[in-house]
């Protein structure tokens, strides 16, 4: 028997269509909006075209106490199999304007990160080489202080335009964002990034491009590319490296490469990746994460934490190791 549709799910798309908040998709499968290709439907998915539309949607959701989740490309998200009972706000190609003035880049949150890196390289601006292989959007990158090679986009951020939980637009500086490794204060603020200004260092365009090509070549050799995945599942820190090593090495030494639960598998290519081998559910992934953490903890006494975020049916976002139905690690 098919599950019953709630009154909210039935009426919400019609309410949103009259608000002028962007493109509205009723009962949209979230598996189509994340790199893992996992997740049930959202009551409504909205793609705005401006910061004003984002603010309008935030005020509407707040006024009616409707759960609201903001996403970009969904490259770091695991949606629940039940989907999201509320609104998913997707900032993507409809909010992707980019302008370069001197050594500064002003870009909307929906700009695709590799495109941003290539445009910087094209005009000889350095400092963004490390983001060339990150297949997300700028908003998520800023929110998480994303990057690679132990660097973060926060190094380049000069101003961030956000919509706060009340639906007001604010402009924040680096000191407000408090960037740290794969984290920013923006997460605790509950704001939505809509635009950012980045400052880069002038450099040789050819040298910058060569560095990017080298980075992409290394990624192709090290990481799985054909199966759907979210990138690195477990968080890596400098302290972790010094003490026990990177997550991939720890998981591989625990003999877990190729371990499979349902359609979810620890990648045989890189052990810090979980791939969808076909038909994987969120429950499969969460059980596999719990199994990896338990084995590693029993073996070396280290408590692995997740970089990937789980989204529950009430649109709440949390590290996947904190999903409420996972067994606690001791």
């Amino acid at each position: 028997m098919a599950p019953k549709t709630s009154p909210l799910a039935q009426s919400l798309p019609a309410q949103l269509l009259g608000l002028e908040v962007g493109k509205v998709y009723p009962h949209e499968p979230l598996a189509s909006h994340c790199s893992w290709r996992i997740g049930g439907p959202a009551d409504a998915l909205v793609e705005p075209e401006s910061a004003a539309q984002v603010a309008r949607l935030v005020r509407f959701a707040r006024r009616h106490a409707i759960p609201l989740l903001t996403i970009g490309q969904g490259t770091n998200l695991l949606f629940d199999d039940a989907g999201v009972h509320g609104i998913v706000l997707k900032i993507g190609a409809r909010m992707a304007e980019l302008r370069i003035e001197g050594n500064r880049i002003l870009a909307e949150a929906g700009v695709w990160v590799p495109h941003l890196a290539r445009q910087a390289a094209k005009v000889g601006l350095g400092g963004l080489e490390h983001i060339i292989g990150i297949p997300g959007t700028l908003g998520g990158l800023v929110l998480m202080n994303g990057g690679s090679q132990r660097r973060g986009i926060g190094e380049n951020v000069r101003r961030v335009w956000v919509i706060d939980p009340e639906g007001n637009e604010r402009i924040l500086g680096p000191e407000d964002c408090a960037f740290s490794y794969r984290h920013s204060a923006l997460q605790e603020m509950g704001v939505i990034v809509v635009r950012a200004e980045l400052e880069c260092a002038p450099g040789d365009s050819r040298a910058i491009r060569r560095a990017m090509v080298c980075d992409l070549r290394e990624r192709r050799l090290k990481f799985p590319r054909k199966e759907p995945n979210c990138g690195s599942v477990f968080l890596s820190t400098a302290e972790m490296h010094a003490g026990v090593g990177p997550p991939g090495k720890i998981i591989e030494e625990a003999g877990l490469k190729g371990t499979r639960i349902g359609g979810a598998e620890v990648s045989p290519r890189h052990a810090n990746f979980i791939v969808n081998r076909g038909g994987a559910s969120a429950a499969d992934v969460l059980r596999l994460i719990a199994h990896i953490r338990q084995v590693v903890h029993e073996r070396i006494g280290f408590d692995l934490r997740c970089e990937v975020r789980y989204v529950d049916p009430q649109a709440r976002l949390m590290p996947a190791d904190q999903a409420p139905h996972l067994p606690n690690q001791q």
Side-chain angles (χ1 to χ4, degrees):
M1 180 182 292
K4 293 182 179 179
T5 305
S6 70
L8 172 63
Q10 292 175 334
S11 65
L12 184 56
Q15 295 180 61
L16 293 173
L17 286 169
L19 278 181
E20 296 185 9
V21 291
K23 180 71 173 175
V24 178
Y25 299 87
H27 319 303
E28 180 70 7
L30 293 172
S32 301
H33 298 274
C34 67
S35 58
W36 244 330
R37 298 292 179 257
I38 293 172
D43 289 346
L45 183 139
V46 180
E47 292 185 345
E49 298 176 356
S50 67
Q53 289 186 346
V54 173
R56 190 177 301 131
L57 185 60
V58 169
R59 290 192 294 268
F60 169 82
R62 180 180 176 83
R63 186 164 61 248
H64 297 283
I66 297 171
L68 175 67
L69 171 75
T70 305
I71 69 169
Q73 292 289 101
T75 51
N76 197 37
L77 298 179
L78 176 64
F79 292 110
D80 194 271
D81 299 314
V84 169
H85 305 314
I87 303 169
V88 173
L89 168 61
K90 181 174 182 177
I91 298 181
R94 295 173 186 270
M95 284 183 64
E97 184 180 337
L98 184 152
R99 187 170 74 249
I100 299 177
E101 297 176 353
N103 64 342
R104 297 217 170 185
I105 302 173
L106 185 64
E108 289 188 302
V111 168
W112 195 47
V113 171
H115 174 69
L116 168 64
R118 290 189 179 101
Q119 291 303 110
K122 188 177 179 180
V123 298
L125 291 180
L128 301 182
E129 294 88 337
H130 66 103
I131 67 172
I132 183 63
I134 298 175
T137 52
L138 179 60
L141 194 74
V142 170
L143 192 74
M144 296 293 297
N145 191 23
S148 67
Q149 303 165 20
R150 309 210 59 74
R151 298 181 62 186
I153 191 65
E155 300 170 15
N156 301 92
V157 171
R158 293 299 166 263
R159 288 190 292 175
V160 182
W161 285 257
V162 302
I163 305 299
D164 70 19
E166 285 72 43
N168 303 307
E169 185 168 347
R170 298 169 58 191
I171 303 176
L172 306 176
E175 64 284 355
D176 302 307
C177 299
F179 292 110
S180 59
Y181 185 72
R182 301 298 176 260
H183 183 267
S184 78
L186 301 171
Q187 297 169 41
E188 284 74 35
M189 294 179 194
V191 299
I192 299 171
V193 176
V194 292
R195 186 182 299 110
E197 183 181 52
L198 311 175
E199 185 173 16
C200 299
D204 179 71
S205 181
R206 288 173 297 182
I208 294 168
R209 287 177 178 174
R210 283 196 297 270
M212 290 182 176
V213 168
C214 181
D215 183 279
L216 291 173
R217 184 184 300 119
E218 289 183 7
R219 284 175 174 269
R220 282 194 293 269
L221 292 173
K222 288 169 56 179
F223 303 142
R225 297 174 60 230
K226 294 184 179 179
E227 300 92 358
N229 68 84
C230 75
S232 297
V233 173
F234 295 100
L235 189 65
S236 176
T237 66
E239 295 77 17
M240 180 180 181
H241 269 257
V244 294
K249 177 175 179 287
I250 295 169
I251 297 167
E252 181 174 355
E253 289 177 348
L256 292 169
K257 263 190 174 181
T259 300
R260 186 166 176 172
I261 293 180
E265 180 186 65
V266 178
S267 172
R269 182 178 287 268
H270 194 295
N272 198 18
F273 284 63
I274 291 176
V275 298
N276 181 353
R277 298 288 290 178
S281 66
D284 292 340
V285 174
L286 292 175
R287 284 198 296 268
L288 186 53
I289 286 172
H291 176 67
I292 293 166
R293 295 183 71 231
Q294 180 180 358
V295 171
V296 167
H297 189 270
E298 289 175 352
R299 185 173 183 270
I300 63 172
F302 190 84
D303 195 10
L304 284 171
R305 294 298 180 184
C306 283
E307 181 173 338
V308 66
R309 273 15 187 195
Y310 162 73
V311 182
D312 77 1
Q314 287 72 47
R316 292 176 298 206
L317 195 67
M318 66 198 77
D321 57 275
Q322 295 178 19
H325 51 288
L326 279 179
N328 292 324
Q329 286 284 97
Q330 299 297 328

